[in-house]
Amino acid sequence: MTDNIDTVVTGITNAKVLAVADRVVREFQLAAEKVAAHHSEPAKYPMPSGSTAMEHLMSSRFKALPEGTRKKAADRVVTELKNAPGRAKKLDDLAKVDLRSTASVEAQVRKLPFPAKLKFPADELRKAPVAKAAVGTAEQRAAAAAVPLRKLELRLHQVKCVEETNELFKDEISLGGTAVDESGDADKISSFRVKSFHTGGVQTYTPPRRLVWFSLTEGPVQFPKSYFVTLVLAEVDQGGFSSFVDGLIDKVRDAITAALGNAIGSQLPGGPGGPIAVLISEAIDYVVGKIFSFLKVVWQDDIFQPITVRTTTQSLTSRWAGRSDSPERTVTFRGHGGKYQLVYDWRMFS
């Protein structure tokens, strides 16, 4: 019997999906630039009407920055906008988006022809990403086969402050996130306070704290089934950061789904589950990471980047080397001059 797999998501395994995701990244970068340019020259770079555009989401984060940081970001972007040849090369077809327009970036992108070089057959999305799995011993397989387990949970064991942030007082740390099941359905993990930290501080959960659980028997998707959780660590003083990340993930998911539909020339085939759900989840993690990197450089917004973890269960009787719980894993968050480590595991149960 093949063992379950658990990993930290670090990229997109499909090159064609990666190319599409890079175009989505550029779309969000344009929205971030529009917000900064508007801060400097609001009449020249007007915000779109309404409250649901990418620019409005980005603006909610931009307003949380100190005024001096916002001004420097605005000046940096306005200078960059004058480099038309360089931007044309960097943005490719999205160089046609006009940040001086009252139309939102996403509305303008929708009107552009989808690049032919990014199109590919729908069958490409049915290719399951390859992941390595160990094979248990005969004794482990026999023990696992004896008890079918129908539920899966992600558990938090510990949060450690390796180095506190550059805030003046103690770090008030919270944790939340988003969970995606085998069908691609997403649910929010409500943010909760971990504790106040100084360097070296540790919060240990005994027993481990459940962050989210999944049913392994619901839905039409057949085994193997993959599950994703995006972990969002925040300093409470960051001002609505968790809500910003939740909104960003939703926006990115919509943009990725639409872009992949344009790439294959139709709706995504065979429903959202299986290999397609895996590719979309990988793409969301990739795009969000690229957006955070962009904001750090252009806005000087050094926030904790979310981390996405994944497990793939092979059956109701598969295990991690014969155990119902995975090995404990550690992920590291960096931001605001600080460094935090989070220890978690996955567990199947009845």
Side-chain angles (χ1 to χ4, degrees):
M1 177 182 295
T2 304
D3 280 0
N4 296 336
I5 306 161
D6 66 289
T7 59
V8 176
V9 178
T10 57
I12 301 177
T13 51
N14 184 300
K16 296 185 184 299
V17 174
L18 174 60
V20 172
D22 279 331
R23 186 174 186 263
V24 173
V25 170
R26 293 192 290 272
E27 184 177 350
F28 279 86
Q29 289 174 346
L30 282 166
E33 288 182 329
K34 174 72 170 279
V35 169
H38 173 79
H39 185 73
S40 178
E41 302 180 48
K44 186 174 182 179
Y45 302 100
M47 290 286 284
S49 60
S51 60
T52 60
M54 290 178 185
E55 290 91 328
H56 298 121
L57 176 65
M58 292 295 183
S59 180
S60 70
R61 179 60 202 165
F62 192 75
K63 290 176 181 178
L65 301 177
E67 172 56 28
T69 301
R70 283 184 282 171
K71 185 179 186 306
K72 289 179 180 179
D75 292 345
R76 193 176 296 111
V77 168
V78 169
T79 299
E80 161 67 16
L81 293 177
K82 296 175 182 178
N83 180 18
R87 289 180 63 78
K89 182 177 180 181
K90 179 173 63 176
L91 294 172
D92 201 12
D93 69 305
L94 297 192
K96 296 175 182 177
V97 172
D98 186 359
L99 299 187
R100 298 166 298 180
S101 171
T102 56
S104 68
V105 168
E106 55 199 303
Q108 294 184 63
V109 170
R110 282 197 300 267
K111 292 182 178 180
L112 295 175
F114 195 79
K117 64 184 179 181
L118 297 183
K119 295 183 178 181
F120 53 83
D123 284 346
E124 188 72 29
L125 295 177
R126 297 188 178 94
K127 297 178 181 178
V130 177
K132 295 182 178 179
V135 177
T137 65
E139 292 80 5
Q140 291 167 344
R141 292 197 300 272
V147 183
L149 299 177
R150 293 176 170 81
K151 297 177 182 178
L152 171 73
E153 65 179 348
L154 180 69
R155 305 188 300 180
L156 176 63
H157 288 259
Q158 186 182 91
V159 177
K160 179 180 180 179
C161 176
V162 179
E163 185 174 356
E164 63 191 287
T165 70
N166 49 24
E167 297 290 331
L168 292 177
F169 305 103
K170 286 184 178 181
D171 292 348
E172 294 287 343
I173 297 298
S174 67
L175 182 67
T178 301
V180 180
D181 68 11
E182 79 288 348
S183 297
D185 295 330
D187 285 310
K188 298 292 185 292
I189 300 174
S190 297
S191 181
F192 63 91
R193 180 181 180 273
V194 178
K195 67 173 290 185
S196 299
F197 286 96
H198 279 311
T199 297
V202 176
Q203 173 63 51
T204 301
Y205 294 93
T206 307
R209 176 170 180 150
R210 175 186 291 171
L211 295 178
V212 65
W213 73 275
F214 305 90
S215 169
L216 294 170
T217 58
E218 69 177 16
V221 178
Q222 302 299 308
F223 286 102
K225 297 182 178 183
S226 291
Y227 300 85
F228 294 81
V229 176
T230 298
L231 300 166
V232 180
L233 189 79
E235 218 285 332
V236 174
D237 292 338
Q238 289 179 2
F241 176 70
S242 295
S243 296
F244 166 70
V245 175
D246 287 345
L248 181 62
I249 290 173
D250 288 342
K251 274 286 187 186
V252 171
R253 179 180 291 105
D254 291 345
I256 286 291
T257 302
L260 290 176
N262 288 331
I264 65 174
S266 66
Q267 289 186 338
L268 300 185
I276 294 176
V278 172
L279 290 171
I280 289 176
S281 294
E282 287 181 348
I284 291 170
D285 178 76
Y286 173 82
V287 172
V288 169
K290 289 291 185 181
I291 293 169
F292 272 56
S293 296
F294 182 81
L295 297 183
K296 183 175 181 178
V297 172
V298 177
W299 287 6
Q300 297 296 293
D301 190 12
D302 185 19
I303 43 186
F304 291 118
Q305 181 170 320
I307 294 175
T308 299
V309 298
R310 167 194 177 187
T311 192
T312 299
T313 56
Q314 310 297 332
S315 71
L316 297 180
T317 57
S318 63
R319 301 290 188 268
W320 291 270
R323 294 175 57 93
S324 61
D325 57 329
S326 74
E328 293 181 12
R329 308 295 187 188
T330 301
V331 291
T332 301
F333 294 83
R334 292 181 173 86
H336 292 288
K339 178 180 177 181
Y340 280 79
Q341 291 181 331
L342 183 153
V343 181
Y344 71 94
D345 74 353
W346 298 89
R347 185 177 79 98
M348 293 175 66
F349 62 104
S350 57

